[in-house]
Amino acid sequence: MLDFPNLKLLIVLFFVFSCSSSQDKKAIALIEKSIEAHGGQESWGNIRIFSFEKETRLYLENGEIETHTVQQQEFRFKPYFEAKMTWGKDSIIHKVIFDGLKTQYWMGKNEIQNEGFLQAKKKDLDAAYYVLTKPFDLLDEGKTLLHEGITKLQDGRELETVRVIDGDPKDPNIDIWWYYFHPETSRIVAYRAKTSGHYSQVYNLDWDTSTEILFPSSRESYRVDSLGNHLYLRATYAYRKYSIIN
């Protein structure tokens, strides 16, 4: 028979694991509802190619525009993953392509073959894809999910919150994401990210309803502190001309 201290320890551990399991179930249920609200997993899974135009304005801390770009982006799922971005700068067409095996970059007719540069451009492709796939891949393996209850954003809205760690939670350099879901519609209203030593908070301002998938049409990104307080507007994004091929 267990003595009293050991019995207390077992009760505490049972309570902790029960709460953790409950929180995970809440996170999964919330994400499942959000997937349906954004078009459904079946519709997402049927896509072979989706493409769109993305206009980006990056701002300095003093409010001046740092860069302004308009890109054509295309992502192919089947038969394997491919990605392409094209844009103009100083009357020169820039193009970066990942063909499933390697990354290539052209500046006009000149192909850039610097390995470090190509790795950076592959990260740009991955990041562009990553922020357009939510909530559909949030239940993929390798992600740690935690329901954090209700969070009050700076504008006063109270939203359901799920923290997502995409990778090893023990890695101090791993990115951490918080997704904020509307309690009634289950749409993703905003998300916060801890990446590369800083925090960003992005708001979905409007949605595109031209396809069976609910994609963002307008976003704002703020540099924020660890509590989500706005420091300054970092970027605005406009998404147009969505096209899906099944």
Side-chain angles (χ1 to χ4, degrees):
M1 183 175 179
L2 292 171
D3 59 22
F4 184 67
N6 287 334
L7 181 59
K8 285 181 65 178
L9 177 60
L10 284 176
I11 292 173
V12 170
L13 289 174
F14 176 80
F15 177 79
V16 169
F17 287 124
S18 296
C19 289
S20 176
S21 175
S22 174
Q23 287 173 327
D24 289 344
K25 289 178 181 178
K26 286 181 180 179
I28 292 169
L30 183 55
I31 292 169
E32 288 176 340
K33 288 175 63 178
S34 185
I35 288 172
E36 288 304 310
H38 284 262
Q41 196 70 56
E42 183 176 356
S43 294
W44 179 258
N46 288 334
I47 296 174
R48 286 197 303 115
I49 303 171
F50 77 93
S51 60
F52 54 92
E53 180 182 275
K54 179 183 179 182
E55 182 174 13
T56 302
R57 287 182 172 87
L58 294 180
Y59 297 89
L60 299 171
E61 194 168 354
N62 63 8
E64 294 181 0
I65 293 179
E66 180 180 2
T67 60
H68 173 224
T69 58
V70 178
Q71 295 178 325
Q72 305 298 321
Q73 298 189 8
E74 179 180 296
F75 299 97
R76 180 188 295 265
F77 296 158
K78 303 171 184 177
Y80 46 82
F81 180 76
E82 296 177 274
K84 178 169 64 176
M85 291 196 305
T86 306
W87 68 99
K89 183 180 180 182
D90 300 328
S91 301
I92 298 175
I93 299 299
H94 294 247
K95 181 167 61 177
V96 56
I97 295 176
F98 176 71
D99 65 4
L101 294 173
K102 62 181 180 179
T103 304
Q104 295 174 287
Y105 187 98
W106 285 271
M107 186 181 299
K109 295 182 179 180
N110 299 314
E111 184 176 359
I112 309 300
Q113 297 184 334
N114 179 278
E115 192 60 35
F117 181 83
L118 293 177
Q119 288 177 3
K121 292 304 173 184
K122 176 58 165 58
K123 288 182 180 179
D124 290 344
L125 284 173
D126 291 342
Y129 176 74
Y130 189 89
V131 297
L132 263 295
T133 59
K134 306 300 176 288
F136 299 101
D137 63 352
L138 287 179
L139 296 180
D140 289 355
E141 291 184 6
K143 291 179 171 59
T144 302
L145 309 175
L146 180 64
H147 184 268
E148 293 192 343
I150 299 296
T151 297
K152 188 173 184 179
L153 298 187
Q154 195 171 63
D155 61 9
R157 287 180 292 180
E158 295 184 341
L159 305 170
E160 293 266 14
T161 308
V162 173
R163 187 182 70 189
V164 179
I165 300 177
D166 198 350
D168 183 1
K170 297 178 182 178
D171 182 354
N173 298 314
I174 199 73
D175 294 346
I176 303 175
W177 301 75
W178 291 263
Y179 292 91
Y180 304 107
F181 301 86
H182 193 285
E184 296 176 4
T185 67
S186 299
R187 293 180 178 181
I188 296 178
V189 175
Y191 60 86
R192 180 159 54 103
K194 177 184 179 297
T195 58
S196 303
H198 69 265
Y199 291 83
S200 299
Q201 186 137 322
V202 179
Y203 297 88
N204 289 317
L205 303 181
D206 205 356
W207 298 95
D208 183 283
T209 58
S210 63
T211 72
E212 60 263 39
I213 299 298
L214 194 67
F215 285 115
S217 63
S218 179
R219 282 175 166 169
E220 284 183 346
S221 177
Y222 289 83
R223 189 61 53 86
V224 297
D225 62 20
S226 61
L227 300 177
N229 297 309
H230 293 185
L231 302 177
Y232 65 95
L233 177 66
R234 177 56 178 147
T236 59
Y237 307 101
Y239 301 84
R240 297 181 287 265
K241 303 177 183 177
Y242 281 104
S243 175
I244 286 178
I245 299 176
N246 292 330

